[in-house]
Amino acid sequence: MSVIKLEDIAYVRFAAPDLALMQGFLEDFGLTCFEEAGRLYGKGSDGRPFIYVTQPGEAKFLGVGLRADSIADLETLAAPEGLAPEPLTEPGGGMILRLTDPDGYTVEVVAGQQCEPPAPVPEPRFNSTAAKPRQRETIRLSHAPANVRRIGHAVLKVSDFRASERWWKERFGFITSDEIEAAKDVPLGAFLACDRGDLPADHRTIFLAQLPGALGLMHAAFEVADLDGLMLGHQFFKARKRKAAWGVGRHIMGSQIFDYWKDPFGNELEHWTDGDLFSEVVPPVWTVWRRS
Ligand SMILES: [Fe+2]
């Protein structure tokens, strides 16, 4: 049994030497940006107070935020660590518990944030050979950034996958959706999903990857409404001459349609849509690594 179960990922936190430059990128990426107390925040359309934050400083990944169900869960999580939750003095308020994982990553667990009502989402309207829900109406798209709904996952490089896996699972109850081996019986990493009981959750909320090279965030991923939204974002970024990283494509593990871009400081952010949702009744799969 883990100490608690998580609701979802909350945000990713960075530092950057030029917040205006970063804001330009983030607005092209499809986040709604605002500044508060000298920090640059990004929101999606899900009503959460922020899903992205950058503070002034040397360009760096600073940590990942996770959402607990309640402040009581934060206290449960804090007790065995000899810590106590503190007020979260950022947009939305609430409480925060800061932990450090085996590789020194800051893991911020939050609860009790004030949210706004989520914005309405577009109705599905893709016709296929199997079903044609859109009849007697057209699709007309405007040149605009992708409309980011929410943050979905973060991928962290780790130095010892098994040690990290133990740390993250013991505290947060993550379930392995897919484990990847570099070769037979040589673990490379795993896609970890939140355990929401009967309620299906994203195929991955965190991916821990034991890969060569420096530790750090490999990318953070944000869900957009649908394929139209993702392709609009792709065209918008291309027109703005932003730096593409990978995509558009469809992943094998998690099945989502992806599109990866680099921000001005080299961090990689992903747009995705149409991902798998699993619950604990779906057994994990072990796969030898292949790209996609
Ligand atoms: Fe991803």
Side-chain angles (χ1 to χ4, degrees):
M1 276 295 286
S2 59
V3 181
I4 65 165
K5 301 285 174 67
L6 291 175
E7 199 172 72
D8 207 345
I9 187 170
Y11 53 82
V12 277
R13 188 182 295 278
F14 296 89
D18 186 336
L19 296 195
L21 194 62
M22 190 66 108
Q23 182 168 347
F25 172 84
L26 293 173
E27 288 175 346
D28 287 357
F29 188 76
L31 294 176
T32 302
C33 293
F34 63 99
E35 264 195 65
E36 190 171 303
R39 299 188 195 98
L40 173 67
Y41 291 92
K43 292 174 64 155
S45 63
D46 62 351
R48 306 297 311 180
F50 63 97
I51 57 174
Y52 173 100
V53 51
T54 295
Q55 64 193 51
E58 182 192 345
K60 202 173 172 187
F61 167 65
L62 295 180
V64 59
L66 305 171
R67 262 167 41 208
D69 280 314
S70 64
I71 292 168
D73 272 4
L74 278 195
E75 287 162 357
T76 302
L77 186 63
E81 313 277 350
L83 299 170
E86 298 165 24
L88 174 53
T89 54
E90 294 193 75
M95 300 290 284
I96 183 168
L97 177 68
R98 292 181 183 85
L99 302 176
T100 306
D101 98 330
D103 281 307
Y105 292 119
T106 299
V107 180
E108 304 180 358
V109 192
V110 301
Q113 290 175 295
Q114 294 293 313
C115 299
E116 296 166 359
V121 289
E123 289 295 318
R125 53 182 187 162
F126 287 95
N127 286 344
S128 69
T129 50
K132 301 192 189 301
R134 192 186 73 256
Q135 298 183 2
R136 301 176 193 85
E137 57 178 308
T138 58
I139 289 183
R140 298 288 182 270
L141 304 175
S142 318
H143 182 66
N147 186 353
V148 169
R149 181 70 179 175
R150 56 182 280 266
I151 185 167
H153 62 263
V155 177
L156 297 170
K157 259 195 202 176
V158 298
S159 57
D160 179 341
F161 167 67
R162 288 290 176 225
S164 296
E165 179 194 30
R166 191 161 51 247
W167 189 92
W168 287 76
K169 285 188 170 179
E170 279 176 0
R171 282 157 186 78
F172 307 127
F174 280 117
I175 299 174
T176 297
S177 299
D178 279 284
E179 180 167 315
I180 301 167
E181 297 181 329
K184 183 86 181 104
D185 298 327
V186 180
L188 185 152
F191 293 96
L192 304 179
C194 290
D195 180 359
R196 305 305 298 158
D198 293 336
L199 196 65
D202 286 343
H203 169 269
R204 73 259 232 159
T205 294
I206 294 289
F207 178 29
L208 304 173
Q210 185 180 333
L211 289 167
L215 294 177
L217 177 81
M218 294 184 70
H219 70 264
F222 297 81
E223 186 175 14
V224 300
D226 54 24
L227 181 60
D228 276 343
L230 185 128
M231 293 307 298
L232 273 179
H234 187 88
Q235 293 303 328
F236 193 83
F237 261 147
K238 263 175 85 170
R240 305 279 278 185
K241 303 201 181 329
R242 297 291 184 185
K243 193 170 176 201
W246 186 22
V248 173
R250 190 186 277 278
H251 280 306
I252 295 170
M253 284 164 272
S255 307
Q256 82 267 32
I257 301 169
F258 61 80
D259 191 22
Y260 295 81
W261 293 83
K262 294 277 191 189
D263 78 10
F265 303 97
N267 306 298
E268 197 165 294
L269 300 185
E270 174 190 1
H271 283 147
W272 61 273
T273 187
D274 194 23
D276 292 337
L277 294 163
F278 287 172
S279 65
E280 58 186 347
V281 296
V282 179
V285 173
W286 273 257
T287 309
V288 175
W289 177 253
R290 52 185 167 159
R291 186 175 166 96
S292 188

